[in-house]
Amino acid sequence: MIKNSLTINEEQLLVAKEILELGGVVALPTETVYGLAANAFNEEAISKVFETKNRPSNNPLIVHIGKYNMLSKLAKNIPIEAIMLVDEFWPGPLTLVLERKEIVSDLITGGKDTVAVRMPNHPLTLSLLNQLEFPVVAPSANRSNHISPTEASHVIQSLGDKAPYVLDGGACAHGIESTIVGFKNGQPIVLRAGAISREQIEEVLDKEVLQINDNSELIAPGMLKKHYSPNTPLSIVGNIFDYVHVRSHNKRVGFIFFKKNNHQLEEYDRILTDNGSLNEAARNLFKTLYELDALGLDQIYIESIPNEGIGVAINDRLLRAATSA
Ligand code: TXA
Ligand code: MG
């Protein structure tokens, strides 16, 4: 049984490797969300990623590496704090924005003088990266501004005809994107909330770290307001029970509750976590949105999430996904 599944993985890896070596695009699993990968040293391949996602060319990409020594090929003047974070969190859901080296294409950086790099922590993808002679760019494998995919089927649901070969690595362990840390005047700064909380970063660096929320000048373009959106209108509400009456108006309405409660769940209702675990809620968030979005409802209401730990990243995504609050 185990031998069999290993063989399937090995075959899939071989296909993915060949496509990437030929300059093609492959969707692959990471511990955060599925990525849309292409050879980071091949500009034609990189262009295909933008095309497949319909992504604006000024929104830069994260370079994914499998070996530590690749970092110094891509980036220079790496601050000591960055090394401390690498030591603690790689492979894992931390992206570093660092001074780029010449080898990094303008297509990747959107013409900026920085490059974003991370080492993902998924056994299949790590194994693939370590078999390749080059790193890969990999934005989330959804069409631009749509919900990030946390399962192989989501990639197909989001990209439709444009979906490439998907390396199926199962459901993503974190279910929310990596935390992006950059440096301004030598000071670390969280540019995107993600699977690693600011508190975890502060603990490793033993100092306070700034977090940017909507500073449009410094901000990563992927932090633009409208993002991560389902096709169905989505509203975040404080008390979801205030909205239950909307159902009586003959509308097909879905409710997403943070945790289990006494409410009798109806057909379009979902809960993110049984016991109030923020990690479980993060894992289920995009999956739940994909599920309800596929039903073509008139409206989805979601309860706001406790704003601590990974809950900060969840609320950040919800605010960008919502049409009105
Ligand atoms: O967890 C993740 O990071 C996933 C998986 C696939 O690894 N990837 C991901 O990529 O979320 P994407 O493209 O959906 O989001 C990347 C973010 C964007 O907001 C982009 O603007 C920002 O990273 N970014 C990339 N390079 C940057 C740079 N040089 N400076 C600032 N922000 C950058
Ligand atoms: Mg994305």
Side-chain angles (χ1 to χ4, degrees), residues 21-215:
E21 282 171 345
L22 289 168
V25 171
V26 164
L28 39 78
T30 81
E31 78 283 30
T32 58
V33 302
Y34 275 73
L36 198 61
N39 181 349
F41 293 157
N42 176 336
E43 293 201 328
E44 214 176 298
I46 300 167
S47 310
K48 287 181 195 163
V49 169
F50 282 95
E51 215 175 280
T52 307
K53 278 189 62 113
N54 198 15
R55 180 177 176 110
S57 62
N58 66 349
N59 191 355
L61 304 174
I62 299 174
V63 181
H64 292 58
I65 64 176
K67 294 190 189 77
Y68 290 93
N69 63 7
M70 186 56 81
L71 180 60
S72 55
K73 295 199 176 131
L74 302 167
K76 60 185 179 192
N77 300 329
I78 302 173
I80 180 71
E81 279 102 340
I83 304 292
M84 291 161 77
L85 295 175
V86 163
D87 277 348
E88 180 70 23
F89 296 116
W90 281 9
L94 172 83
T95 295
L96 291 168
V97 172
L98 301 165
E99 266 183 62
R100 70 187 272 197
K101 278 192 171 166
E102 278 304 302
I103 194 172
V104 182
S105 164
D106 277 341
L107 286 183
I108 295 178
T109 66
K112 289 168 180 278
D113 52 11
T114 52
V115 59
V117 187
R118 91 175 189 97
M119 185 185 287
N121 190 14
H122 188 288
L124 273 184
T125 292
L126 265 184
S127 164
L128 175 64
L129 285 171
N130 284 317
Q131 291 175 43
L132 294 169
E133 303 279 310
F134 48 81
V136 301
V137 291
S140 51
N142 50 276
R143 67 170 191 275
S144 208
N145 297 342
H146 193 223
I147 312 161
S148 301
T150 57
E151 291 181 11
S153 64
H154 299 161
V155 177
I156 319 263
Q157 195 178 324
S158 187
L159 292 173
D161 289 351
K162 289 187 160 183
Y165 180 76
V166 185
L167 182 61
D168 190 346
C172 300
H174 292 287
I176 205 145
E177 294 87 344
S178 61
T179 303
I180 303 183
V181 176
F183 295 87
K184 197 174 185 239
N185 305 327
Q187 286 308 305
I189 169 165
V190 174
L191 298 175
R192 177 177 74 180
I196 294 172
S197 68
R198 171 160 62 152
E199 292 76 18
Q200 284 174 280
I201 289 166
E202 288 178 334
E203 203 178 312
V204 171
L205 300 181
D206 197 19
K207 67 166 162 188
E208 273 187 30
V209 172
L210 284 175
Q211 177 146 352
I212 277 226
N213 280 321
D214 244 333
N215 180 335

